[in-house]
Amino acid sequence: MTVMEQRGAYRPTPPPAWQPRTDPAPLLPDAEPYRVLGTGAAEKVDPELLRLLYAELVRGRRYNTQATALTKQGRLAVYPSSTGQEACEIAAALALEERDWLFPSYRDTLAVVARGLDPASALTLLRGDWHTGYDPREHRIAPLSTPLATQLPHAVGLAHAARLKGDGVVALAMVGDGGTSEGDFHEALNFAAVWQAPVVFLVQNNGFAISVPLAKQTAAPSLAHKAVGYGMPGRLVDGNDAAAMHEVLSEAVARAREGGGPTLVEAVTYRMEAHTNADDATRYRQDTDVDAWRDHDPILLMERELTERGLLDDDMKRQVGDDAEAMAADLREHMNQEPVLDPMDLFTHVYAEQTSQLREQAAQLRAELEVASEEAEEEAR
Amino acid sequence: MTTVAAKPATKPANKPATMAQALGRALRDSMAEDPSVHVLGEDVGALGGVFRVTDGLAAEFGEDRCTDTPLAEAGILGTAVGMAMYGLRPVVEMQFDAFAYPAFEQLISHVARMRNRTRGAMPLPITVRVPYGGGIGGVEHHSDSSEAYYIATPGLHVVTPATVSDAYGLLRASIASDDPVVFLEPKRLYWSKADWNPEAPQTVEPIGRAVVRRPGRSATLITYGPSVPVCLEAAEAARAEGWDLEVVDLRSLVPFDDETVAASVRRTGRAVVVHESGGFGGPGGEIAARVTERCFHHLEAPVLRVAGFDIPYPPPMLEKHHLPGVDRILDAVARLQWEADS
Ligand SMILES: Cc1ncc(C[n+]2csc(CCOP(=O)(O)OP(=O)(O)O)c2C)c(N)n1
């Protein structure tokens, strides 16, 4: 008797019933970017919040123009301006509580300032006198990350650790549209969803990665759609609408805090300036494209809303403008001071304890510095 | 004066233990002592790691402390960075040497330099355990000696044990370190056994001390990790021919113990550096240069290197021709212009 005969007639066993792990429908983003300003939804927003957002937008714009000017004067090594994207930056900072953490990328100086870091310290990296000008733990702001998307897994790990400790802390991590193509973006989102980590990912889709337009970056219907594949909700929002940004991010932060897991938010916005001062944007885009966005400027949108509803008078406008000017003047003054650098610092923070190799190299540099200062003294005589 | 007869000290029993067991014990003791120590990696939970080093940790400490992660090395190390930023001490397991490469970006761009870029405000106490090296008949991507990449990156400590006792001590010290440590585990020594007492394990002095494994007068073999037992065997074989070789086990490549190494070479006047990884751009070149700079007037011969060939790691059936063995070491020793009567 064959084995087959022993068993009886061969009947394929059906596989165990297949079930989708998650219902994809609630995770899908809206078809259109979510808007608040200029719609009925705006009436539900606290007028004080709208005024605050307006003031921060104006301040943020002034910061961007000032920092760009400082680059032209050679005071900053580089400045990637977020002009046009201020609503994303401000909302990212204001959606967080003090105990939460912000994980910015190199373009997000403004978010860091809006979170409360002193405007001059926020420029340390871009000025070039050191890499990070603040204690991340003190401000709960990770160092500005230059390698794209690499800060996203950090945000997940930190949020995960905080959740294990039961601290109710949320991490908000920022990345550009180009950065979503990096492997770290994928790994971070996947870890976050599997661990249900309290993280919010904010993609600022400003149209370009240096010169490469979004169409060459992804074939996805939207970047927010990517969320579904990880099992987290994706939200598509008008990145120039500060009220919409604030609402969507605040909701995502609240959801994360309550144990609802991560959210991917795509903010549709536009980079009004070149990538940095070193970039020539005329090589890859038309001025007419930029002009089309001018009418959708985040400050303009907010100003219209406030004015139409009688929430903004000339006095307040002047006050907001003056405050922004004062901040810019302060920043200028700070950045025009020569930084005081100690070359011996080069060896101080490589390891907790210097290796004998570094001690030798430090001694070499110290000797070189002594010779140089003696020579300078002699020359002065 | 009345003397109380001391209770006869029950000498704790030594038992044969493998290096893998000692490593596991080091993880366990570290986790028991410090609740901020977390282990994460691929298959580290129920399976206990493919080499069983993390065996029993998930059962004892729960899945939040010993976590099976998604299969993503950059993600594992990247999330460990965030965990360390929040005050935990992650110990990350990379499954095999060549599978740590996806995590290099995180290691080099963030782990190694977070202390430096934050001017000391944010040290990252992360231990990255990497099984490395050949000699186990592994197929492609399972036998790389990747230490040259790690030692070329400032901000990382790079250590590698060669004995069961050091495996325990060095791993404890690595986990306790406030700096990131790449902890290289010589795969082919995982099952090497030694008498060892898990109830009274030896901790190790601070990371960065080499040790003379075998004293000798005629030449120094400078080595580490999987090549230590090979060098000890070579030294035994050389004895028959009247050669008295000293064997220095570096234990730590970064920091490098110039003192112990130079003292040994000054005594013996001759040195051979032995390691598995390729010679070109490998640690041996750096070590030979350091020795030459420090001991030039004591040297009777150039510092030689016995290393793996400069080839991608060969298939298992050919690896015996690639790995530095006793004969190749003895050949090098002979090339040190050996005088039989010295
Ligand atoms: C890993 C990595 N690759 C390349 C670069 C160089 N680079 C800097 S910015 C940039 C474009 C980023 O575009 P996007 O993510 O859309 O952000 P945006 O500049 O628009 O804010 C590139 C390619 C980098 N910083 N990191």
Side-chain angles (χ1 to χ4, degrees), chain A residues 130-132 136-137 145 147 150 153-154 157-158 161-162 164-165 167 169 184 187 191 345 349 351-352 355 357 360, chain B residues 64 72 74-75 78-79 82-86 88 105-106 110 115-117 119 155-157 179 254 256 258 290 294:
Chain A
W130 203 258
H131 299 313
T132 305
R137 278 210 188 91
S145 181
T150 52
H154 304 173
L158 182 133
L164 291 179
K165 290 192 181 181
D167 287 352
V169 165
D184 277 19
E187 298 193 19
F191 268 71
D345 263 5
H349 305 295
Y351 297 100
T355 60
Q357 289 77 37
E360 277 173 25
Chain B
D64 284 345
T79 49
M83 291 165 76
M85 288 171 89
Y86 204 74
L88 300 185
E105 157 74 334
Q106 284 294 338
H110 291 292
R115 171 189 287 280
N116 186 254
R117 75 210 282 220
R119 308 189 79 171
L156 302 176
H157 289 307
D179 283 319
V254 180
F256 186 82
D258 280 306
R290 302 189 80 80
R294 280 166 183 74

Side-chain angles (χ1 to χ4, degrees), chain B residues 285-336:
Chain B
E286 174 64 30
I287 295 167
R290 302 189 80 80
V291 168
T292 307
E293 283 169 359
R294 280 166 183 74
C295 311
F296 185 69
H297 294 292
H298 301 264
L299 285 172
E300 309 279 344
V303 181
L304 300 180
R305 284 170 294 164
V306 177
F309 295 129
D310 296 318
I311 56 171
Y313 198 84
M317 293 172 89
L318 291 173
E319 69 179 346
K320 64 175 184 292
H321 301 292
H322 167 72
L323 294 172
V326 169
D327 288 347
R328 212 171 279 161
I329 295 168
L330 294 179
D331 267 2
V333 170
R335 276 192 288 133
L336 293 171

Side-chain angles (χ1 to χ4, degrees), chain A residues 106-107 146-148 176-179 182 206 208-210 275, chain B residues 105:
Chain A
Y106 63 92
R107 196 181 292 286
T146 306
L148 298 167
D177 44 303
E182 290 281 358
N206 65 6
F208 295 91
I210 307 189
H275 171 63
Chain B
E105 157 74 334

Side-chain angles (χ1 to χ4, degrees), chain B:
Chain B
M1 202 168 70
T2 40
T3 50
V4 181
K7 209 173 141 207
T10 42
K11 197 163 169 265
N14 277 354
K15 283 184 235 121
T18 65
M19 182 180 280
Q21 284 169 333
L23 291 167
R25 181 66 191 224
L27 290 171
R28 195 214 150 264
D29 289 354
S30 298
M31 291 173 89
E33 220 166 74
D34 181 353
S36 67
V37 176
H38 284 238
V39 168
L40 57 159
E42 295 156 10
D43 306 295
V44 296
L47 183 67
V50 293
F51 295 106
R52 305 291 182 273
V53 170
T54 59
D55 194 20
L57 297 181
E60 184 172 351
F61 298 101
E63 288 177 21
D64 284 345
R65 297 277 309 279
C66 178
T67 308
D68 275 333
T69 64
L71 214 166
E73 291 74 16
I76 296 167
L77 190 51
T79 49
V81 169
M83 291 165 76
M85 288 171 89
Y86 204 74
L88 300 185
R89 280 183 185 272
V91 183
V92 160
E93 176 171 306
M94 294 288 158
Q95 205 154 62
F96 280 90
D97 31 51
F99 306 140
Y101 300 152
F104 261 44
E105 157 74 334
Q106 284 294 338
L107 188 73
I108 283 152
S109 294
H110 291 292
V111 175
R113 59 179 88 191
M114 190 66 89
R115 171 189 287 280
N116 186 254
R117 75 210 282 220
T118 60
R119 308 189 79 171
M122 186 163 270
L124 293 180
I126 299 175
T127 304
V128 187
R129 296 180 35 239
V130 187
Y132 84 121
I136 61 158
V139 293
E140 198 181 8
H141 303 300
H142 289 75
S143 299
D144 285 17
S145 293
S146 34
E147 60 267 35
Y149 306 129
Y150 300 115
I151 66 171
T153 306
L156 302 176
H157 289 307
V158 184
V159 305
T160 175
T163 68
V164 171
S165 171
D166 269 6
Y168 179 88
L170 279 174
L171 187 51
R172 292 296 308 267
S174 301
I175 296 170
S177 164
D178 283 336
D179 283 319
V181 180
V182 175
F183 191 89
L184 298 169
E185 302 178 357
K187 263 190 246 86
R188 74 174 131 125
L189 299 186
Y190 269 142
W191 303 281
S192 66
K193 279 191 180 173
D195 273 355
W196 185 66
N197 176 13
E199 301 316 317
Q202 292 264 301
T203 44
V204 109
E205 59 259 50
I207 290 173
R209 302 268 166 79
V211 63
V212 175
R213 286 270 170 237
R214 181 193 195 280
R217 287 179 301 107
S218 339
T220 303
L221 301 180
I222 305 165
T223 188
Y224 55 87
S227 294
V228 170
V230 185
C231 285
L232 289 171
E233 205 186 320
E236 279 311 302
R239 211 162 57 143
E241 320 219 2
W243 301 345
D244 183 19
L245 299 180
E246 181 148 309
V247 177
V248 174
D249 173 3
L250 294 173
R251 301 202 283 205
S252 162
L253 294 172
V254 180
F256 186 82
D257 187 349
D258 280 306
E259 216 177 296
T260 302
V261 171
S264 170
V265 177
R266 284 185 186 139
R267 275 196 301 275
T268 62
R270 295 176 170 90
V272 181
V273 190
V274 182
H275 59 61
E276 269 185 42
S277 73
F280 194 89
E286 174 64 30
I287 295 167
R290 302 189 80 80
V291 168
T292 307
E293 283 169 359
R294 280 166 183 74
C295 311
F296 185 69
H297 294 292
H298 301 264
L299 285 172
E300 309 279 344
V303 181
L304 300 180
R305 284 170 294 164
V306 177
F309 295 129
D310 296 318
I311 56 171
Y313 198 84
M317 293 172 89
L318 291 173
E319 69 179 346
K320 64 175 184 292
H321 301 292
H322 167 72
L323 294 172
V326 169
D327 288 347
R328 212 171 279 161
I329 295 168
L330 294 179
D331 267 2
V333 170
R335 276 192 288 133
L336 293 171
Q337 302 167 336
W338 191 260
E339 293 159 31
D341 57 345
S342 71

Side-chain angles (χ1 to χ4, degrees), chain A residues 16 88 183 228 359 365:
Chain A
C88 306
V228 186
R359 279 199 298 274
L365 180 62

Side-chain angles (χ1 to χ4, degrees), chain A residues 342-363:
Chain A
D342 179 3
M344 295 315 293
D345 263 5
L346 288 175
F347 304 99
T348 314
H349 305 295
V350 184
Y351 297 100
E353 206 179 308
Q354 266 177 23
T355 60
S356 59
Q357 289 77 37
L358 284 181
R359 279 199 298 274
E360 277 173 25
Q361 291 164 27

